[in-house]
Amino acid sequence: MPKDARATRDALIHAGAHLFAAHGIDATRTRDIVALAGQANDSAVTYHFGSRDGLLNAILRAGITRMEPARAATLPTLHPDDPHTIVDAIVRPTADELRTPHGRDFLRITAQLAGRAGIRDHQTPPLLHDTALQHQLHILETACRATLPEPLALERISLFIAFLTAALADRATRTHHPRTPPPAPEHDTFTTDLTAMLTAALQAPHPNPFA
């Protein structure tokens, strides 16, 4: 890809991520993305990404790709008998997105999409196919199904994703706001506590153990 075209794509990805995060996926106008990216042609998004959804997918793919090496490194260490380690391996690379502006935009976008993860009906989004994250979630499902009926295990994992993305988006928003002090607690303490909370939620007693 020519250097100028790559620079334009990158500018559109950064502008789109910022506006999708700030104003919402549905409310953001394509013309505003193009303007923020410094482009004069309103068809720039269509030309480079095929559509507005194509731009959103490129933003999501960039975030998933950033986390892949850290996630892949955990896979040999994960076992269904150790839910805490599995949850930590999922949470920590995601929480590390809080460290950069692009990462914080990504987190604020993913919170808007948490209900589309396809966990309850095993309809994994194409962007996650054969990723380390998909493998992590599969191991987590195996761990949950060891003590829970499948529908309840899938429901808990779906809620786990919703809670995780909401918590990180909230912290990303507070970190982004220039007039607020840095969120407390500090990053590592926050991540460790979030991991503990989510692990406890997944391991909560079955409301009907004889079902």
Side-chain angles (χ1 to χ4, degrees), residues 9-22 24-25 28 33 45 48-49 51-67 97 101-110 112-113 127:
R9 280 179 58 89
D10 289 345
L12 289 167
I13 286 174
H14 294 158
H18 180 72
L19 293 178
F20 286 148
I25 293 170
T28 298
I33 297 172
V45 168
H48 287 280
F49 301 98
S51 66
R52 193 170 175 278
D53 284 345
L55 172 60
L56 177 60
N57 283 338
I59 293 166
L60 296 173
R61 186 177 296 108
I64 292 167
T65 300
R66 281 195 301 271
M67 292 182 282
E97 289 289 291
H102 298 324
R104 291 192 290 273
D105 285 341
F106 172 78
L107 293 173
R108 294 166 74 192
I109 292 169
T110 56
Q112 300 174 54
L113 299 169
L127 283 171

Side-chain angles (χ1 to χ4, degrees), residues 22-37:
H23 303 300
I25 293 170
D26 296 326
T28 298
R29 300 184 303 178
T30 302
R31 70 178 67 176
D32 294 332
I33 297 172
V34 171
L36 184 60

Side-chain angles (χ1 to χ4, degrees), residues 7 10 22 25-26 33 37 40 49 72 78 82 87 91 94 103 109-111 115 137-138 157 164 171 173-174 179 191:
D10 289 345
I25 293 170
D26 296 326
I33 297 172
F49 301 98
L78 303 185
D82 187 2
V87 172
V91 170
T94 318
I109 292 169
T110 56
L137 291 172
H138 176 73
I157 294 171
L164 171 62
R171 190 170 175 93
T173 299
R174 289 185 288 124
R179 296 185 180 179
T191 303

Side-chain angles (χ1 to χ4, degrees), residues 184-204:
E186 56 82 33
H187 180 82
D188 288 338
T189 301
F190 167 80
T191 303
T192 299
D193 189 59
L194 182 59
T195 296
M197 289 173 59
L198 292 170
T199 303
L202 287 170
Q203 294 181 306

Side-chain angles (χ1 to χ4, degrees), residues 17 23 36 38 44 71 74 88-89 95 111 116 129 163 165 201 204:
H23 303 300
L36 184 60
R71 294 196 189 285
T74 71
D88 184 76
R116 307 180 197 179
H129 284 178
F163 190 100
T165 56

